[in-house]
Amino acid sequence: MRRHWINILVLIILFVGMVGWLTAQKNRKLRNIENQTVEKLLEEFRAATTPFTTLAKLFYEQSNEALARTMQIASTGDAKTRHALREKILDRFYPMYRNGTLLGLMQMQVHDPEGRSFVRFRHSELFGDDLTSIRPSIRDMVRSHRFLEGCEAGRYSFGYRHIFPLFYDGKYTGSVEWVWRSIAVTGMMSRLFGGDYGIVIPTEELNETMSPETIRDFSEPFPLCPDFRIEKTHAQYDAIRFRKTLRALQIPATTICTALKQDSARILHVAQNGQYKFLVILPIRDIDTNRSDRLIAIKNDPYSATILSTYHRKLRYYSLLMLLLIGIIYLSYRKEMFVRTLLDSQKDLVVLTSGSKLYDTNRSFLEFFGVKNIKEFLRTYGCVCRQFLAKEGYYSSHHDDARWIEALSSHSGQEKRVIMRSPIDGKERIFLVSVRRFGKTGLHVVSFRDITELEREKRHLQLESVRDHLTQIYNKRAFEHYLREKIQDYRTFHRFEVSVVMFDLDDFKRINDTYGHTAGDRVLRRLTRIVRGQIRKSDFFARWGGDEFMIVMEGIEPAQAARIMDKIRLSVENADFDVPERITCSFGITAIGDNDTLIEIIERVDKLLYQAKEKGKNQIVWDTGGGGR
């Protein structure tokens, strides 16, 4: 029974993978069509606005000189003069405005150099209000004096705007704009390219610039999403047809509303009467690029039906193919069960592999890596060889996944040890590796025996060889090895100063002779604790022999080291060593020089310590490789 469930599970996994691939292919093709549709819609929008741009430029060419001169006079005139000039502009250019309204023009407006409305042809009684506070385009015009176009909401209108700067004798005197109805633009798109179009505006954007009365006057709530509004149709045929077509699609209002609130283009595929249609929702950036309105297009979709038909046909084909794979899966399962008992009987980590492919593992291996099965291991870690940590004295794979077995088999002795980190506790474990060929199958049984504890005991013994038994700090052997490394580093890199300190207890022999060696040992241990508490963890502290100690301090020059040693000297002088007399220390300090050897440094710092003794003990004498201090 278990075997049959495994077969079914494998079949489901393979089938789901194949369906996922087919679905990805289908979705990729649909996305390509959607991307092409979005790009084409953008081109259609630009093409539809081109006639209005051409008209606006023509109006501008006809009115530029007169308006610029009039605004220059207005900039220096009094209120009466400005009123007269305003009436003059209305009288002269009203025929142009009236003719434009027949083509969808909503507003023509002139602004003074500071961004205030000088004259509106629609609502001509309203003027003098500062537009820079509500319209980014006017702020940009006042600042940059450049041509601007795009959608934007104003105080009394929303539409596609063309704003031109006015110059008289090279001086900026204001600007003039033409505002086209959004339904005029979408109507132009319908006539040029077919389909149904509409532009909706976020209610929040309108609330920032218009009064509630103005909003209600020029727009109405978008029926499928209350957070957006659409310009009133004014009985325009294209706009009325757009609303009817949108309702006929019967798309849930929540779906459309969610798509409208996103900042990226969305395409909804709709089946209606055996035909597919696109409903495209495209954000259109305003002149203020931080805002965007939404262009909605409803167009025929001749491609989705073909793609979906091909998808379902392939799905049926691969379903039959999956049924044929049941026999292969069954044979594979029998092969796995053949070696299962053998593998799980081992406490070592065991894998059955050809090098490039992992066929099986035992339970200990899976538990070590915290996975449930081989697939999870391969998905998470890949090849076993990639888990070998690169450390000196241990094998790490420098070959591809197919050759690591061969490379490991050619090594002997220490090189057959590897280090792997357990994902369970994050600790590194050391393994002894054994590789055995599995019959004539081309497979290998690789076992990993955990020898971490043995290696840890070995390292402990090695560590004991460089520790001073009495004080538990480094001994002379360790110090000499460390100082040689620092001398080599200094010669190679020259990155920082390295100070070397030698100190001992003053008259320590008398303490041993008077109070015994047990008391002397207590003094040495107490001294070690005092010094370790006042130096850095990175400083190398060692017992040189007897009552002599050495410290290597990287990144510290001798003068600074002397200040640190002086604090230690005072701490020692004032400390209680459980003997009835005061304990003091003398110090010698030097620095590693360019051409110093180990012997030269030891001899120099020893002489400096001797000078401290000569000066009366409880002293510090230091140099920088030259004269004493």
Side-chain angles (χ1 to χ4, degrees), residues 198-265:
I199 294 178
V200 296
I201 311 104
T203 305
E204 181 182 5
E205 178 183 343
L206 297 178
N207 289 335
E208 293 178 1
T209 62
M210 297 182 181
S211 66
E213 294 78 10
T214 304
I215 294 175
R216 289 193 297 269
D217 179 59
F218 112 94
S219 67
E220 59 189 20
F222 185 55
L224 297 178
C225 188
D227 294 331
F228 289 80
R229 298 184 71 87
I230 189 168
E231 186 179 351
K232 289 183 177 179
T233 62
H234 300 287
Q236 184 168 330
Y237 170 74
D238 297 317
I240 295 173
R241 189 182 66 185
F242 168 74
R243 286 162 169 77
K244 289 182 177 179
T245 305
L246 187 61
R247 284 194 297 270
L249 294 179
Q250 297 182 345
I251 302 175
T254 54
T255 301
I256 293 182
C257 198
T258 300
L260 285 172
K261 292 179 180 180
Q262 296 184 3
D263 290 331
S264 57

Side-chain angles (χ1 to χ4, degrees), residues 355-402:
S356 61
K357 184 176 181 180
L358 184 64
Y359 285 91
D360 209 345
T361 71
N362 66 347
R363 186 179 296 109
S364 298
F365 181 90
L366 298 177
E367 290 174 351
F368 177 81
F369 285 101
V371 296
K372 297 178 180 179
N373 49 50
I374 295 174
K375 290 181 179 180
E376 184 179 352
F377 173 82
L378 294 174
R379 185 171 58 250
T380 306
Y381 301 103
C383 178
V384 179
C385 60
R386 299 179 194 172
Q387 309 312 309
F388 303 158
L389 302 182
K391 294 199 174 183
E392 184 178 357
Y394 299 89
Y395 174 78
S396 60
S397 179
H398 301 290
H399 306 84
D400 56 41
D401 293 355

Side-chain angles (χ1 to χ4, degrees), residues 80-309:
K80 183 177 180 180
T81 301
R82 292 168 65 87
H83 177 75
L85 293 173
R86 191 175 292 111
E87 293 296 326
K88 180 180 178 182
I89 291 174
L90 287 169
D91 290 342
R92 179 167 180 178
F93 295 105
Y94 188 80
M96 176 189 294
Y97 166 72
R98 185 183 63 247
N99 292 334
T101 59
L102 300 176
L103 300 172
L105 184 65
M106 177 189 292
Q107 178 67 281
M108 175 179 173
Q109 184 171 197
V110 182
H111 321 110
D112 68 14
E114 287 74 34
R116 293 185 294 268
S117 175
F118 185 75
V119 60
R120 289 182 175 91
F121 281 73
R122 184 169 178 260
H123 303 300
S124 60
E125 74 280 3
L126 302 173
F127 56 85
D129 49 314
D130 184 8
L131 299 177
T132 60
S133 60
I134 62 170
R135 289 184 52 192
S137 63
I138 300 303
R139 291 196 295 270
D140 192 346
M141 176 60 68
V142 170
R143 182 177 62 254
S144 63
H145 308 158
R146 64 187 179 92
F147 168 70
L148 299 169
E149 69 173 311
C151 293
E152 188 182 52
R155 181 160 279 139
Y156 301 106
S157 62
F158 170 87
Y160 196 84
R161 299 175 183 269
H162 296 92
I163 311 175
F164 297 85
L166 298 172
F167 293 95
Y168 186 76
D169 286 342
K171 179 181 178 182
Y172 175 69
T173 61
S175 58
V176 59
E177 70 172 333
W178 286 268
V179 187
W180 307 90
R181 293 183 182 277
S182 62
I183 57 177
V185 176
T186 55
M188 180 67 71
M189 295 179 71
S190 296
R191 289 187 290 275
L192 290 176
F193 308 109
D196 300 288
Y197 304 84
I199 294 178
V200 296
I201 311 104
T203 305
E204 181 182 5
E205 178 183 343
L206 297 178
N207 289 335
E208 293 178 1
T209 62
M210 297 182 181
S211 66
E213 294 78 10
T214 304
I215 294 175
R216 289 193 297 269
D217 179 59
F218 112 94
S219 67
E220 59 189 20
F222 185 55
L224 297 178
C225 188
D227 294 331
F228 289 80
R229 298 184 71 87
I230 189 168
E231 186 179 351
K232 289 183 177 179
T233 62
H234 300 287
Q236 184 168 330
Y237 170 74
D238 297 317
I240 295 173
R241 189 182 66 185
F242 168 74
R243 286 162 169 77
K244 289 182 177 179
T245 305
L246 187 61
R247 284 194 297 270
L249 294 179
Q250 297 182 345
I251 302 175
T254 54
T255 301
I256 293 182
C257 198
T258 300
L260 285 172
K261 292 179 180 180
Q262 296 184 3
D263 290 331
S264 57
R266 288 295 307 275
I267 295 183
L268 304 178
H269 298 269
V270 184
Q272 186 183 44
N273 300 326
Q275 294 183 339
Y276 281 88
K277 288 183 178 292
F278 285 128
L279 189 143
V280 188
I281 298 175
L282 179 66
I284 305 173
R285 291 295 175 189
D286 289 1
I287 296 177
D288 176 11
T289 56
N290 293 322
R291 297 175 176 175
S292 61
D293 309 305
R294 306 295 189 270
L295 172 62
I296 302 176
I298 303 170
K299 302 175 73 69
N300 289 328
D301 175 12
Y303 309 105
S304 295
T306 302
I307 293 173
L308 292 174
S309 175

Side-chain angles (χ1 to χ4, degrees), residues 302-504:
Y303 309 105
S304 295
T306 302
I307 293 173
L308 292 174
S309 175
T310 302
Y311 167 72
H312 290 299
R313 185 173 63 253
K314 288 184 177 181
L315 194 60
R316 290 191 295 270
Y317 170 78
Y318 285 115
S319 296
L320 293 174
L321 182 61
M322 289 298 104
L323 293 176
L324 296 177
L325 294 176
I326 291 178
I328 299 174
I329 295 171
Y330 176 75
L331 293 176
S332 175
Y333 171 76
R334 288 293 300 272
K335 184 178 180 179
E336 292 175 1
M337 294 304 296
F338 177 74
V339 296
R340 172 54 49 200
T341 302
L342 175 65
L343 293 175
D344 281 343
S345 65
Q346 302 293 316
K347 292 184 179 180
D348 298 341
L349 278 58
V350 181
V351 299
L352 180 65
T353 178
S354 64
S356 61
K357 184 176 181 180
L358 184 64
Y359 285 91
D360 209 345
T361 71
N362 66 347
R363 186 179 296 109
S364 298
F365 181 90
L366 298 177
E367 290 174 351
F368 177 81
F369 285 101
V371 296
K372 297 178 180 179
N373 49 50
I374 295 174
K375 290 181 179 180
E376 184 179 352
F377 173 82
L378 294 174
R379 185 171 58 250
T380 306
Y381 301 103
C383 178
V384 179
C385 60
R386 299 179 194 172
Q387 309 312 309
F388 303 158
L389 302 182
K391 294 199 174 183
E392 184 178 357
Y394 299 89
Y395 174 78
S396 60
S397 179
H398 301 290
H399 306 84
D400 56 41
D401 293 355
R403 296 179 55 200
W404 70 275
I405 287 287
E406 177 185 346
L408 186 59
S409 300
S410 66
H411 287 274
S412 60
Q414 282 192 332
E415 294 302 320
K416 279 200 174 180
R417 299 182 307 163
V418 300
I419 297 180
M420 293 189 288
R421 179 177 288 109
S422 169
I424 306 301
D425 56 15
K427 295 181 179 179
E428 295 179 359
R429 310 294 293 180
I430 303 172
F431 296 90
L432 183 64
V433 186
S434 173
V435 182
R436 298 186 299 275
R437 184 178 294 276
F438 187 70
K440 297 181 180 180
T441 61
L443 304 179
H444 294 80
V445 177
V446 184
S447 63
F448 300 86
R449 176 163 296 178
D450 192 338
I451 59 171
T452 305
E453 297 304 324
L454 292 175
E455 290 293 311
R456 184 177 291 117
E457 182 64 25
K458 179 180 177 181
R459 286 197 298 271
H460 175 72
L461 294 175
Q462 291 174 341
L463 185 61
E464 285 295 310
S465 69
V466 296
R467 289 280 183 184
D468 177 64
H469 180 71
L470 176 64
T471 60
Q472 291 301 303
I473 61 176
Y474 290 108
N475 59 20
K476 180 177 181 179
R477 176 184 175 186
F479 174 80
E480 289 179 340
H481 178 75
Y482 182 79
L483 187 57
R484 285 191 182 96
E485 288 183 347
K486 294 300 108 179
I487 292 171
Q488 185 60 41
D489 288 347
Y490 185 81
R491 290 174 179 172
T492 303
F493 302 110
H494 264 293
R495 289 184 297 189
F496 39 69
E497 290 272 5
V498 180
S499 293
V500 181
V501 181
M502 175 182 275
F503 68 94
D504 69 359

